[in-house]
């Protein structure tokens, strides 16, 4: 039996303002009674990530952290805050992160956005095995609202759930009274926290490099020459980079993804170009 009556739906919200109004939304849900991995583990990771960004004074993006009842919470929140949708650049949903299994990265509906590429880079460079699924191939919860009809904010999810095509439960204790603190580990949640922070920081420090010079750069002058005889592949990657700088069409994340250069190395190269006034940095606005 059900009835409609006046009441309230409680939502946890932490807002961290940045240099620009464009927001990245981080989501976790609280609605299953007495279940720890689904999704108190996601909430725990979210709170730790929020503390990290609250402690920073130089955030470029603004960050909105939301703890909601699953699905209906996202629908209700957005229906009361439609004016925020146009500011929402990307979303990250955190769920089922405490049990002992591989990470599963579910891509956004758009599939090839900056947050999709940043997440894939971070997981690959963590040297941890992970599953990769398209939109709705892993979980189907709050990300389907934020990345759904009339909203369509590119939203990825990070979980340890099985892919739906396997027709297995996300984990053996799923949706049962056996989902207790005993099945999760602090280390697994910390791994998720680290990956989430790395994804968000990669987005926050992203920029579009624009060349200020013409022709090849004399790398020796800037102590950046790479010996082709001993480091042939890395030297070739440097040459590949030159040919991507002329039109400022690709950002640091996109160059990392497409040229398959480790993000840390590519960022060091481009930051050094900037310090020597060889490029400009075009920041997200």
């Amino acid at each position: 039996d059900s009835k409609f009556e006046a009441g309230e739906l409680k939502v946890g919200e932490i807002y961290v303002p940045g240099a620009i109004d464009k927001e990245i939304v981080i989501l976790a849900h609280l609605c299953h009674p007495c279940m720890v991995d689904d999704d108190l583990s996601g909430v725990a990771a979210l709170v730790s990530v929020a503390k990290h960004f609250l402690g920073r004074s130089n955030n470029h993006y603004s960050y909105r952290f939301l703890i909601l009842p699953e699905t209906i919470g996202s629908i209700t929140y957005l229906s009361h805050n439609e004016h925020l949708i146009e500011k929402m650049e990307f979303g990250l949903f955190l769920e089922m992160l405490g049990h002992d299994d591989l990470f599963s990265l579910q891509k956004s509906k758009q599939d090839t956005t900056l947050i999709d590429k940043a997440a894939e880079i971070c997981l690959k460079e963590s040297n941890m095995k992970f599953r990769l699924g398209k939109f709705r191939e892993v979980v189907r919860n709050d990300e389907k609202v934020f990345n759904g009809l009339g909203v369509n904010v590119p939203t990825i999810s990070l979980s340890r759930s099985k892919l739906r095509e396997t027709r297995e439960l996300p984990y053996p204790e799923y949706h049962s009274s056996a989902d207790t603190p005993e099945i999760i580990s602090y280390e697994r949640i910390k791994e998720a926290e680290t990956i989430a922070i790395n994804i968000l920081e990669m987005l926050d420090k992203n920029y579009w490099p624009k060349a200020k010079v013409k022709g090849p750069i004399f790398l020796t002058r800037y102590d950046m020459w790479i010996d082709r005889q001993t480091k042939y592949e890395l030297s070739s990657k440097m040459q590949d980079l030159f040919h991507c700088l002329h039109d400022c069409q690709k950002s640091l994340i996109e160059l990392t993804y497409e040229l398959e250069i480790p993000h840390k190395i590519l960022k060091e190269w481009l930051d050094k170009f900037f310090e020597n006034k060889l490029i400009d940095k075009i920041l997200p606005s």
Side-chain angles (χ1 to χ4, degrees), residues 2 21 36 58 76 137 142 164 181 191 202 222 231 235 245 265 267 284:
S2 62
D21 287 340
V36 178
N58 60 341
T76 304
E137 285 185 351
D142 297 275
R164 283 184 171 268
E191 285 176 355
M202 187 177 290
Y222 307 105
K231 297 180 179 177
S235 175
L245 297 180
I265 290 176
K267 188 173 186 304

Side-chain angles (χ1 to χ4, degrees), residues 214-256:
K214 297 180 176 70
I217 297 171
F218 180 34
L219 294 171
T220 304
R221 177 184 296 169
Y222 307 105
D223 194 29
M224 295 182 69
W225 180 71
I226 301 170
D227 188 342
R228 198 169 174 82
Q229 300 303 315
T230 58
K231 297 180 179 177
Y232 177 82
E233 186 175 351
L234 205 57
S235 175
S236 295
K237 296 287 187 186
M238 176 67 85
Q239 300 303 316
D240 292 341
L241 177 61
F242 289 160
H243 295 285
C244 297
L245 297 180
H246 69 285
D247 56 5
C248 194
Q249 292 298 307
K250 291 181 168 51
S251 71
L252 174 56
I253 289 172
E254 291 164 310
L255 291 170
T256 300

Side-chain angles (χ1 to χ4, degrees), residues 161-184:
S161 176
K162 300 281 196 301
L163 296 178
R164 283 184 171 268
E165 65 184 18
T166 67
R167 297 185 178 273
E168 296 179 72
L169 290 174
Y171 54 99
E173 299 83 5
Y174 178 70
H175 280 194
S176 78
S177 58
D179 189 344
T180 65
E182 286 71 32
I183 72 165
I184 67 171

Side-chain angles (χ1 to χ4, degrees), residues 2 31 41 68 115 121 170 211:
S2 62
C31 60
S41 64
L68 315 129
I115 195 169
I121 291 166

Side-chain angles (χ1 to χ4, degrees), residues 19-144:
I20 62 174
D21 287 340
K22 289 286 179 68
E23 298 179 6
I24 301 178
V25 187
I26 300 89
L27 310 160
H29 66 236
L30 262 185
C31 60
H32 299 99
C34 302
M35 292 189 191
V36 178
D37 202 23
D38 183 16
D39 182 34
L40 191 57
S41 64
V43 173
L46 178 146
V47 170
S48 292
V49 175
K51 286 180 178 179
H52 174 84
F53 283 91
L54 281 165
R56 285 166 37 116
S57 59
N58 60 341
N59 296 314
H60 187 71
Y61 282 104
S62 297
Y63 293 88
R64 192 175 300 275
F65 296 86
L66 297 174
I67 302 168
L68 315 129
E70 182 181 344
T71 307
I72 192 172
S74 292
I75 294 168
T76 304
Y77 180 85
L78 290 170
S79 74
H80 283 265
N81 294 281
E82 287 194 52
H83 64 287
L84 294 177
I85 294 172
E86 63 181 6
K87 297 181 181 181
M88 294 176 177
E89 194 82 345
F90 305 112
L92 168 61
F93 175 56
L94 302 171
E95 184 181 32
M96 296 183 282
L97 295 167
H99 65 282
D100 198 13
D101 202 346
L102 306 178
F103 280 123
S104 292
L105 170 62
Q106 177 175 277
K107 304 187 84 175
S108 72
K109 187 167 70 176
Q110 291 81 351
D111 194 71
T112 58
T113 69
L114 289 175
I115 195 169
D116 291 284
K117 292 176 180 178
E120 201 170 333
I121 291 166
C122 287
L123 282 164
K124 283 179 178 176
E125 295 190 359
S126 72
N127 293 319
M128 290 188 285
K129 292 182 178 180
F130 66 97
R131 309 179 189 93
L132 185 63
K134 290 186 177 295
F135 188 64
R136 299 178 71 247
E137 285 185 351
V138 186
V139 295
R140 298 178 183 178
N141 294 322
D142 297 275
E143 82 294 331
K144 76 175 185 282

